[in-house]
Amino acid sequence: MLNVPSQAFPAPGSQQRVASQGRSKVPLKQGRSLMDWIRLTRSGKDLTGLKGRLIDVTEEELKTHNKKDDCWICIRGLVYNVSPYMEYHPGGEDELMRAAGADGTDLFNEVHRWVNYESMLKECLVGRMAMKPAVPKDCHEGKRVLNGMLPKSQVTDTLPKEGPSSPSYDWFQTESSVTIVIYTKQKNINLDSVVVDLQDDILRAELAVIKDHSYLIHIELSHEVQENFSVRAIENVGKVDIVLQKRENISWKCLGHPLEKHDSFIPKKDTGLYYRKCQLISKEDVTHDTRLFCLMLPPSTHLQVPVGQHVYLKLSVTGAEIVKPYTPVSESLLSDFKEPVLPPNKYIYFLIKIYPDGLFTPELDRLQIGDFVSVSSPEGNFKVSKLQDVEDLFLLAAGTGFTPMVNVLNYALTSMSSLRKVKLMFFNKTEDDIIWRCQLEKLALKDKRVDVEFVLSAPSSEWSGKQGHVSPALLSEFLQRSSENSRVFLCICGPTPFTDEGIRLLHDLNFSTDEIHGFTA
Ligand code: FAD
Ligand code: NAP
């Protein structure tokens, strides 16, 4: 990697030479204070010119970005486009230019070691310095051995021709642990972007990096590890760490042997659905035909279902494997409704309606506590980024089409600072069919941002609320914005004809495709 001789910085005549009273600073122009910089970094402006992508930067490429209006600097292995920061740099532009197109780590350490540059410059992150392929070392004869930096021969023909480049990985160890580091080359990676399973020392990690593509790590580890491991996502650097605990404190010569599709970046459809067996922990009646099922993930699985996504459940029904999609929900809508008895992230809850003449649900309903069901990794095309800056959120649900709304509603109330109103219109046949009616009513009472409207298609004579099917009249009355130009988003889910009809009516009411998400299979 490049290194600029450190004694050259700060230059002898530089304003950054430490004076007896400390380092001199260059007077900054109006509107170029630290607060102004922070404001700019939070504005959502693309400061790298790469539209959120992270790339591997070669030394040759770095050298070409050496001008004031195109200035990349490498600090501790990460490359930043500092051009937008030039005018905000307290030490002046000339000081920054001394490391233009080069590795400024030594310069930085000398002058700025205490500065939290990772946070200050996080929106300027271009990527990391490309690693040179290392020559693989064998630890078992005849087998390809992983050291984390092998050339990716199997990857090249499966990569998309355009778009983001393949993630890569590396690994390191301490006496007691082995850490696998995955460089996703994308920002906004979080803990629900990665699913990890460890079974009999076979490690499988799947990263949903971009729409429709997954990056896979699939390795038979060279030594035994403990079943518990931890996963960390370093969001702004696009890095995921999987920290394994060694069973024996011995030094590993290699990570293990590659298995099928290891280190490949491929369309999701080519990875197949991966299942792990989960144990039925509890089953609770919610309505006359709908139950809340709680399944426990194996201890050696890390899986968090992203908001609005579903999984597939698989059971053997009279010798045949039957698979159906279901949308996980939170345990309840009200955090203070029930004391959480179980630790988070190890349990998945489902609200499932049992159809007596159905193929799958009667079989599921027959399971005893302690029995196992296979659960797939998450799927689905809903992204919470669609909700960014939304002020009015409208949810239209019919029957169990309510399930994706549960986590969307929870997310909206806990994580959307822009939110003014969230309104749910919930269609059912009768009052007895309404899932979590009491919780919904309590939530609407407790939180002023929440409105709930029930609509029944086959109400009893006592019902004084709204009735009928989804219609222009019901929708136009319901879809009132909190202000004339408020930013809106609408989610809709239920029987397919309901969802299709709802979307058609929403278009008629002048909502755009970008403002609507229909949950379908
Ligand atoms: P099926 O065998 O599919 O039968 C269901 C009903 O349809 C029965 O009454 C049956 O008699 C009738 N039926 C079957 N075939 C026909 C036919 N040809 N003509 C007319 N009627 C027919 N459900 C939930 O309860 N909770 C969820 O969280 C959930 N999430 C889902 C997420 C997604 C993405 C999708 C697509 C569906 C989801 N579902 C959910 C529905 C679920 O996947 C199943 O479809 C449902 O549980 C029924 O399965 P089953 O095999 O028991 O019934
Ligand atoms: P349901 O009780 O049969 O119906 C709920 C309400 O929707 C009833 O008022 C019903 O009216 C109405 N409805 C049904 N078909 C309609 C149509 N064509 N136009 C307008 N209104 C209609 O529903 P359910 O048995 O719970 O079924 C829920 C559905 O949601 C399932 O098909 C399931 O697959 C789907 N789902 C999808 C997802 C997903 O993510 N894609 C998630 C969960 C559930 P009537 O009295 O006239 O029938």
Side-chain angles (χ1 to χ4, degrees), residues 28-40:
L28 296 169
K29 287 189 205 151
Q30 188 100 42
R32 294 292 181 270
S33 68
L34 178 60
M35 267 324 289
D36 294 317
W37 172 249
I38 291 169
R39 247 176 248 131
L40 177 65

Side-chain angles (χ1 to χ4, degrees), residues 310 324-327 351-353 355 357-361 400 403:
H310 55 270
K324 292 269 163 131
Y326 294 94
T327 314
L351 283 166
I352 297 181
K353 174 166 169 176
Y355 297 85
D357 53 352
L359 183 63
F360 187 86
T361 48
T400 56
T403 53

Side-chain angles (χ1 to χ4, degrees), residues 58-254:
T58 59
E59 289 188 11
E60 291 69 35
E61 161 119 54
L62 180 64
K63 278 184 197 159
T64 63
H65 298 274
N66 58 0
K67 293 166 235 32
K68 252 183 200 165
D69 60 353
D70 177 20
C71 178
W72 292 10
I73 293 179
C74 171
I75 305 172
R76 298 180 194 155
L78 296 175
V79 179
Y80 297 89
N81 177 352
V82 295
S83 292
Y85 182 60
M86 286 278 172
E87 294 191 343
Y88 298 82
H89 183 228
E93 297 180 9
D94 292 347
E95 292 297 356
L96 274 181
M97 284 307 293
R98 300 197 68 79
D103 187 332
T105 306
D106 287 347
L107 315 183
F108 182 85
N109 284 345
E110 205 169 295
V111 185
H112 290 302
R113 206 171 30 245
W114 60 92
V115 173
N116 183 5
Y117 72 98
E118 279 164 315
S119 157
M120 286 270 294
L121 294 179
K122 76 174 188 228
E123 294 308 322
C124 298
L125 184 67
V126 167
R128 62 173 189 144
M129 286 304 291
M131 279 184 292
K132 292 195 175 103
V135 182
K137 291 177 266 158
D138 274 353
C139 76
H140 291 296
E141 230 180 306
K143 278 193 171 181
R144 191 158 79 87
V145 171
L146 302 166
N147 66 359
M149 291 188 274
L150 290 174
K152 299 181 199 73
S153 52
Q154 59 175 343
V155 179
T156 42
D157 51 344
T158 52
L159 275 177
K161 292 209 167 47
E162 284 176 14
S165 50
S166 170
S168 60
Y169 79 100
D170 202 346
W171 69 282
F172 64 88
Q173 60 185 314
T174 66
E175 205 183 345
S176 59
S177 69
V178 167
T179 301
I180 298 170
V181 187
I182 302 170
Y183 302 98
T184 67
K185 299 174 192 165
Q186 290 292 305
K187 289 184 182 175
N188 303 325
I189 288 296
N190 49 40
L191 282 178
D192 56 22
S193 315
V194 57
V195 179
V196 186
D197 291 278
L198 179 65
Q199 232 178 11
D200 302 329
D201 293 320
I202 291 179
L203 181 96
R204 188 185 184 281
E206 184 171 350
L207 264 101
V209 180
I210 53 158
K211 190 171 171 270
D212 300 336
H213 273 71
S214 284
Y215 177 67
L216 268 188
I217 296 279
H218 195 196
I219 308 166
E220 184 185 340
L221 297 171
S222 62
H223 295 77
E224 286 187 8
V225 291
Q226 294 176 26
E227 67 176 12
N228 289 316
F229 57 83
S230 59
V231 180
R232 294 188 298 239
I234 297 103
E235 213 172 302
N236 52 7
V237 186
K239 194 163 80 86
V240 172
D241 291 345
I242 304 169
V243 187
L244 307 167
Q245 298 304 324
K246 293 177 179 176
R247 272 212 192 276
E248 288 179 89
N249 290 355
I250 50 171
S251 170
W252 292 20
K253 290 201 170 54
C254 62

Side-chain angles (χ1 to χ4, degrees), residues 289-290 308 310 325-327 351 353 355 397-404 427-430 433 435 455-458 468-470 492-499 501 518-521:
D289 60 3
T290 303
H310 55 270
Y326 294 94
T327 314
L351 283 166
K353 174 166 169 176
Y355 297 85
T400 56
F402 170 62
T403 53
F427 296 82
N428 285 280
K429 286 186 190 343
T430 70
D433 295 319
I435 298 170
V455 184
L456 301 182
S457 54
H469 289 114
V470 61
I492 179 161
C493 186
T496 307
F498 163 89
T499 307
E501 173 66 359
F519 289 89
T520 47

